[in-house]
Structure formats: structure tokens, C-alpha cells
Amino acid sequence: MALISRKKQIYSISEGLRSYLVDYAREVDIPIHYHELLRYTSSIALYDSKEQDTLWETVFYDQSDREEIHLNVKKIYALLKAGGDMSVMNHLYVDRIDLCIYGNTQPFRVRIVNRINDNFDYFYIKNADASRVYGLELEHLLSPNRISYLVHRNTLIEEHIAGIPGDKFMRQMNEDPNLNPIRLSKEFVKFNERCFVRLLGDMHSSNFVVDVTPDFEETHYRIRAIDFDQQSYEGKKSIYLPQYFKENNILIELGMKYITPESMRQYQREERALIATRFKSSHKEMEDVLQAMEKDRIAPIQNVEQLRDELAKHYKNPDFLHCNNMAEILRLSLEQIMR
């Protein structure tokens, strides 16, 4: 069973990572920063449609601050979604700003509404953590998903990743008459493999969403990570395998029922081949991000030593024992699938 016993340490963005972000247009000047949103004067608990506490709080600002703050967060939305085209702001308004009171980085979530058709979207304003930035970039380069995010100084802006929260999906899936357990199990195997190869940890059901796409004949699923704080941080190998989290037991049991060991190995090979293809097609970006990461400290040395020992045993590859940091371990993990 995968357990995380200690709260993760927050790492600031280094000069090397900052240079990478500038080179690849992730570093963008923004009109308002995380610490400025902390000037709220009051807050109330946010409940969902079933009157359950979401553990988010809606925050309120003085009249003198509110107009400026709402204008600036709309500008950020234009930078994130429209490349800075401010004309999109004309029909948008800020409906709500929420604060997550239990998250590591205590993010703000902004709800933006189109006043023409009442369509809405979200994005997040967070304290920038180097682990999370590396996780976002690696997700963008190595997964089937594109990620939109921006960084300025110590503020991180993230798009909302749409999907049904994993824990909610598992509670409701038995009521779905169109559920395809084989396709869903296959996707969980592939998601498990992606996380392990690229060392993204803590993928229990609250940290991923399920994107469900009805097709003319079948239903397709994609599991997407939404929390990247635990990129290459923990020392336990099991933390990087979603199959070891008890919160995912429903999906694990589904796989044991519908997926044979032979099929599972086939899906693992397929996913590793896809990751290898993405690695090759983004070779310059991957080399640049790995070089920045190798000069960074994003995990305690005891975690590095534990993980390299466990992966050396797992892969039967003593080369892992010579790794000095998480980036070298990640590089070697990726090289395993290139062979």
C-alpha cells in the first residue's frame, strides 16, 4: 500500500528552470500575483449542489480592491487562453474566486463567465513550486495531454483540467449503463505505466480526473493527472504506482476481473512505446528540461537514495545506484523504455 507520511517540501524556482521557462515562453509577465490575492477581507465555505463541504472557501475583497483584482485576473485569463488578446475580456466577468484551504500550495481558483451565453471556465493561481512546474512540463511533453500554464516570479497560473474527479467517478460508475469496464481497465493500466515511467507520484483518486468520450459504438476513457506536486520527490517506488493506492481499489479490482496478465503486459508495452515516441519527438525540450532538473534540488537526498535502490532492484539495473539526484533517476527511467 502506498502511503505518504510527511508533507512535501516546497522548492523555489531555480535560475536553470527559470531560463528554461523563458526559452519556451512559459515565463510571462502577469498583472497580479498570488500574494496580492491574499488581501481578501472575508470568506465563506463553498458547498456543492448536494450541500457537501468542498473544502474550498469563496473569498471577498473590499470594493476598492475588487474592481482592480477582477480586471487583472481577466487579463491573466486572456494571456492563458488567447495569447494575450485582450479583446476576449469584453464579454467576460469574474463570477467567483475560491481558496483551497487544505492544499499544499493553497491555490486560488477563478471562475470566469461569458455573459453572452453563461458558459464558464476556471483557472488557478498558485504559489510556484519547482516540483509542480517540472511535473506540468513533463506531462506536456510525455503524456497524450497538452498542458497550458504560465509562470511569473513566484506565481504559477494553471488551466483547469476538465473531467470527472476520480473518486466521484468511482462512486457513480456502477450506475452508468454505458460503462465499458475493459476499456476503463485498459486506460488505468496505461495511466499506471505513464506515472511510473516519468516518476509522477501520489496519483490516488482525488488527484486525477476521468475524461469520458462517447463514440458512435463505444465509450472511450482517458485518466488525467491534475496534481503535479509529487513529481520525482518521494523515495518509495510504490508512490509512483497508482495501483498501490487504496483509494483506487475499485479500478484495480475492475482490472483484475477484466484484464488478463497477457493483456496487461501488452498495454504496458504499448504505453512505453508511445512515451518513447513522444520523448524522441520532443528530444530538445526533454534534454533541456532534464539538464535544468539535474542542477536542481527537488527532493531530500534520502529520498533519492531510497528510490535509486528500489528502481535498481525493480529493473535489475545497477546503473541506478550511480544516480546522484532525481533528474538522473528520471533520465535512466526514460532510457529503460528506449532500449
Side-chain angles (χ1 to χ4, degrees):
M1 199 65 66
L3 293 172
I4 296 176
S5 58
R6 296 183 180 179
K7 187 175 181 180
K8 180 192 169 294
Q9 183 176 339
I10 303 299
Y11 294 96
S12 58
I13 293 179
S14 63
E15 291 184 9
L17 177 54
R18 185 81 65 188
S19 296
Y20 176 90
L21 296 170
V22 171
D23 290 344
Y24 290 96
R26 296 292 197 180
E27 177 85 15
V28 176
D29 193 11
I30 57 177
I32 191 169
H33 294 84
Y34 176 88
H35 69 273
E36 296 174 83
L37 294 179
L38 294 172
R39 300 201 310 256
Y40 62 90
T41 56
S42 61
S43 65
I44 58 172
L46 179 66
Y47 294 88
D48 62 18
S49 58
K50 296 183 179 180
E51 296 301 317
Q52 298 294 313
D53 191 347
T54 64
L55 301 182
W56 289 77
E57 293 183 353
T58 298
V59 299
F60 302 95
Y61 298 90
D62 279 339
Q63 180 67 35
S64 57
D65 288 333
R66 186 169 66 247
E67 187 174 337
E68 180 183 4
I69 288 173
H70 283 198
L71 175 63
N72 286 331
V73 296
K74 285 198 299 180
K75 288 179 179 178
I76 289 177
Y77 184 78
L79 287 167
L80 185 67
K81 293 291 189 176
D85 182 0
M86 298 301 167
S87 65
V88 302
M89 293 169 46
N90 297 335
H91 53 274
L92 300 177
Y93 68 92
V94 178
D95 181 51
R96 203 176 67 223
I97 299 178
D98 305 321
L99 173 65
C100 179
I101 57 177
Y102 69 91
N104 270 351
T105 53
Q106 294 200 325
F108 285 95
R109 181 179 62 194
V110 181
R111 177 179 160 113
I112 296 279
V113 179
N114 183 324
R115 61 167 46 91
I116 297 174
N117 56 18
D118 291 330
N119 191 32
F120 61 87
D121 195 5
Y122 295 97
F123 71 94
Y124 300 84
I125 302 176
K126 305 180 179 182
N127 265 319
D129 170 36
S131 303
R132 189 174 188 92
V133 173
Y134 282 121
L136 287 163
E137 190 64 22
L138 290 168
E139 178 77 2
H140 181 75
L141 295 173
L142 295 177
S143 83
N145 313 304
R146 300 299 77 159
I147 299 291
S148 180
Y149 73 93
L150 301 171
V151 179
H152 188 236
R153 297 177 186 169
N154 295 320
T155 297
L156 171 64
I157 310 297
E158 285 183 42
E159 70 172 350
H160 176 67
I161 297 174
I164 304 171
D167 48 358
K168 180 179 179 181
F169 178 86
M170 281 185 262
R171 287 196 302 268
Q172 298 178 347
M173 70 181 197
N174 289 331
E175 303 170 8
D176 182 3
N178 299 314
L179 182 73
N180 188 321
I182 296 176
R183 286 181 178 270
L184 179 58
S185 300
K186 174 183 177 180
E187 173 57 21
F188 185 75
V189 170
K190 293 166 78 69
F191 177 67
N192 193 74
E193 201 67 15
R194 284 199 298 275
C195 293
F196 185 56
V197 169
R198 54 154 293 192
L199 300 182
L200 177 62
D202 199 24
M203 282 299 108
H204 57 76
S205 59
S206 296
N207 286 341
F208 62 77
V209 296
V210 182
D211 185 5
V212 182
T213 305
D215 200 358
F216 72 97
E217 195 170 25
E218 291 290 354
T219 300
H220 296 268
Y221 304 92
R222 176 170 293 173
I223 299 177
R224 298 191 58 179
I226 58 173
D227 191 320
F228 302 91
D229 288 348
Q230 292 280 345
Q231 174 63 52
S232 305
Y233 178 78
E234 293 287 342
K236 296 178 183 177
K237 179 189 75 172
S238 59
I239 298 297
Y240 302 101
L241 287 159
Q243 71 187 64
Y244 286 117
F245 286 92
K246 64 180 181 180
E247 295 89 345
N248 303 337
N249 277 350
I250 293 177
L251 291 179
I252 296 163
E253 291 166 3
L254 204 68
M256 293 172 65
K257 181 177 180 180
Y258 288 98
I259 300 292
T260 64
E262 294 79 14
S263 295
M264 183 183 71
R265 286 191 289 271
Q266 175 195 334
Y267 300 150
Q268 289 173 324
R269 287 193 295 268
E270 287 177 4
E271 191 59 33
R272 284 175 173 253
L274 289 171
I275 296 171
T277 299
R278 296 181 195 115
F279 183 93
K280 293 174 185 176
S281 64
S282 304
H283 186 263
K284 184 179 186 306
E285 293 93 332
M286 280 301 309
E287 187 59 35
D288 287 349
V289 76
L290 286 172
Q291 286 184 10
M293 201 173 177
E294 283 171 346
K295 298 173 184 176
D296 232 337
R297 181 175 181 271
I298 56 171
I301 187 61
Q302 61 267 27
N303 290 8
V304 174
E305 292 171 349
Q306 181 181 2
L307 185 60
R308 73 187 183 189
D309 291 348
E310 292 195 15
L311 290 184
K313 293 177 183 177
H314 175 84
Y315 286 113
K316 298 180 175 60
N317 183 352
D319 289 346
F320 279 98
L321 300 175
H322 303 297
C323 295
N324 297 309
N325 53 56
M326 283 296 186
E328 292 180 5
I329 296 175
L330 175 59
R331 183 187 290 275
L332 196 51
S333 176
L334 292 169
E335 286 177 1
Q336 289 288 134
I337 66 171
M338 307 297 290
R339 295 174 180 174

